Amino acid sequence: QVRLVESGGGSVQAGGSLRLSCEASHTTERMGWFRQAPGKEREGVAAINSDNRIAYADSVKDRFTVSKDNAFLYLQMNSLKPEDTAMYYCALSTALDWIWPLSPNKYNFWGQGTQVTVSS
């Protein structure tokens, strides 16, 4: 059974930084970070594959950095904004392609999430 455990969320002021971590019991071709704010759909934030090919949502480019180290996935978040407030999820995909890397529909396994709150 695949298990994903996120950590590192918290409350920060705008302009601050947080580093999210995800420990996975298995690794797959593609791993990603997603977020969901209350009343909104889940959206892709960043994805990385086994060849270190990376995709970012336009809203986080130049502020967030995704990386992985074996079974750990990380998301370094800098210059945080109030609109970054959401529950952040780690996910694994068994897809072998790089089509729509930020689409939640391409991911098979999900963690429980870690809350990020950014105050103005």
Side-chain angles (χ1 to χ4, degrees):
Q1 184 176 355
V2 177
R3 184 168 176 261
L4 301 168
V5 180
E6 302 96 334
S7 61
S11 297
V12 296
Q13 290 191 327
S17 298
L18 284 173
R19 188 186 193 218
L20 304 184
S21 299
C22 172
E23 183 176 7
S25 60
H26 298 69
T27 58
T28 58
E29 175 66 18
R30 183 197 310 176
M31 303 177 73
W33 287 101
F34 293 78
R35 66 186 182 187
Q36 188 167 18
K40 294 188 177 182
E41 293 186 355
R42 189 169 296 189
E43 63 173 353
V45 175
I48 185 169
N49 74 356
S50 59
D51 294 327
N52 286 323
R53 190 170 182 179
I54 291 173
Y56 292 105
D58 288 343
S59 59
V60 306
K61 279 180 182 177
D62 301 322
R63 299 190 298 122
F64 291 11
T65 303
V66 64
S67 61
K68 62 181 178 66
D69 181 7
N70 293 322
F72 284 86
L73 182 69
Y74 303 102
L75 186 68
Q76 177 66 42
M77 305 186 296
N78 298 328
S79 302
L80 282 161
K81 303 176 181 180
E83 51 263 45
D84 294 318
T85 295
M87 185 72 79
Y88 282 71
Y89 299 90
C90 170
L92 300 185
S93 171
T94 56
L96 300 179
D97 57 63
W98 191 243
I99 300 172
W100 301 113
L102 297 179
S103 170
N105 294 331
K106 300 285 280 188
Y107 289 77
N108 311 91
F109 305 100
W110 295 85
Q112 293 300 307
T114 185
Q115 178 67 38
V116 171
T117 302
V118 184
S119 58
S120 57

